[in-house]
Amino acid sequence: KGRRAQRRSKQLGIGSSFCPGLLPSNSPGQDARSHCSAVYVAALEAEGFRRVGDVDHGCGAWSVSIFASQAYEAEVRLNSDLRVTAISERPLCWLHATVVGRRGTSVADGAPDALLSAHDLRFKVETAEPILPGSPLFEMVLPGGRSPIIVRGRLPAHAPHLDHRLRDRISYARRLDASVAFEMTLDRPSDVGTPWVLCAEVVTGTEFMGKNFEMRRDFCDLSLKLDSSVFARALRQGSSSTRSLGEKLWIEARSLSDALRRVVSQSGTQPFRP
């Protein structure tokens, strides 16, 4: 028992698993993900969100997590050519809350693309510090500025130039396959300032985890995002403005949640084919 506890204490990073959306499992088929994306898009449009640009299919962007130590993690972002576009510290979460839905049933149990009839809501306020090229931290996690992974058949593998120490510290990679963005201009909450824009994004892709990336989760996620300048302005104006902003976000999130339930319950929803 003592040895097992000691081994656990030496493991790098913080393990977590959270699938808040409408997919019923971590390994859904393509039909289920297309159906899920269609539901997200339909709900956003019903709530008045407008699409920003075209759907970005097969974009092939990656993000990779590297544990420099037990307490320090860096996130490396790569484009489809595996060129480094950004590197930052793991986001620091200032607020983290989850409203758990009753997710035990799907609308059409047994159907190959059946979705859950309920979902969870997660709220986060987080910041991330960039890691500048040439800094000791940059060289520690990304020696030479080269990609820490290679891709074979759309699957990640450790880059050959990595030494054994760094290989052991890379156990998570995320591939983005498609993304579609939306936005909606909202009336300002009291005391917050000018009208502000709420952004939404529907993304599909795959996460790879564990030693040699042997575990995977196929996902289709929906997120709402608020520009940091709006939140910062509310904080500067005091608790009343911050609370007004939070209440407005809560109302919009719940309204979209209701729209999702309505769209999921409708019969004959077709897979998303932009």
Side-chain angles (χ1 to χ4, degrees):
K1 181 177 180 181
R3 287 194 297 271
R4 287 198 299 270
Q6 186 179 19
R7 283 197 299 270
R8 284 196 298 269
S9 69
K10 293 182 178 180
Q11 291 177 351
L12 299 175
I14 301 173
S16 63
S17 178
F18 181 74
C19 308
L22 296 172
L23 292 174
S25 72
N26 286 335
S27 54
Q30 183 57 47
D31 286 346
R33 289 201 290 171
S34 296
H35 187 185
C36 186
S37 180
V39 167
Y40 289 155
V41 169
L44 287 167
E45 292 177 340
E47 285 298 290
F49 283 84
R50 59 186 179 275
R51 190 176 298 192
V52 182
D54 297 326
V55 180
D56 186 3
H57 278 301
C59 57
W62 290 83
S63 61
V64 180
S65 294
I66 303 176
F67 299 100
S69 68
Q70 289 184 333
Y72 179 79
E73 181 181 348
E75 181 179 290
V76 179
R77 294 187 179 274
L78 309 165
N79 64 14
S80 58
D81 296 323
L82 298 183
R83 296 183 182 275
V84 178
T85 60
I87 178 171
S88 63
E89 297 181 14
R90 180 177 180 174
L92 174 61
C93 205
W94 299 90
L95 172 66
H96 192 176
T98 302
V99 180
V100 180
R102 299 181 63 180
R103 296 161 47 84
T105 59
S106 62
V107 172
D109 289 326
D113 61 345
L115 302 179
L116 296 174
S117 58
H119 59 89
D120 300 339
L121 291 173
R122 170 167 283 190
F123 296 86
K124 294 193 294 183
V125 177
E126 59 186 22
T127 58
E129 290 292 328
I131 300 175
L132 300 178
S135 67
L137 291 177
F138 187 96
E139 292 300 324
M140 178 188 301
V141 300
L142 206 65
R146 291 183 290 175
S147 170
I149 63 169
I150 58 175
V151 177
R152 296 170 177 164
R154 306 186 74 219
L155 301 178
H158 293 111
H161 71 269
L162 297 180
D163 61 28
H164 184 269
R165 179 194 65 83
L166 199 52
R167 283 172 179 259
D168 290 343
R169 296 177 183 274
I170 302 175
S171 58
Y172 175 85
R174 185 176 191 262
R175 187 189 69 226
L176 181 61
D177 295 331
S179 171
V180 55
F182 295 80
E183 64 180 30
M184 179 170 61
T185 302
L186 301 174
D187 294 333
R188 69 175 180 87
S190 59
D191 301 326
V192 171
T194 58
W196 45 281
V197 175
L198 184 62
C199 299
E201 187 177 24
V202 178
V203 297
T204 57
T206 302
E207 294 177 324
F208 301 88
M209 298 151 282
K211 186 176 181 181
N212 296 322
F213 308 113
E214 72 272 14
M215 296 182 292
R216 65 181 289 167
R217 179 179 83 92
D218 299 312
F219 65 85
C220 178
D221 292 342
L222 166 62
S223 62
L224 299 179
K225 299 178 182 180
L226 179 65
D227 189 272
S228 59
S229 63
V230 176
F231 188 68
R233 184 165 62 246
L235 288 174
R236 287 194 299 268
Q237 293 175 347
S239 59
S240 177
S241 295
T242 304
R243 179 169 180 172
S244 295
L245 181 59
E247 289 174 348
K248 184 67 172 176
L249 288 173
W250 172 250
I251 291 171
E252 295 300 331
R254 288 300 304 271
S255 179
L256 180 57
S257 177
D258 292 339
L260 284 170
R261 278 191 286 270
R262 289 193 300 269
V263 175
V264 169
S265 66
Q266 293 173 355
S267 60
T269 301
Q270 297 300 314
F272 181 40
R273 302 191 187 284

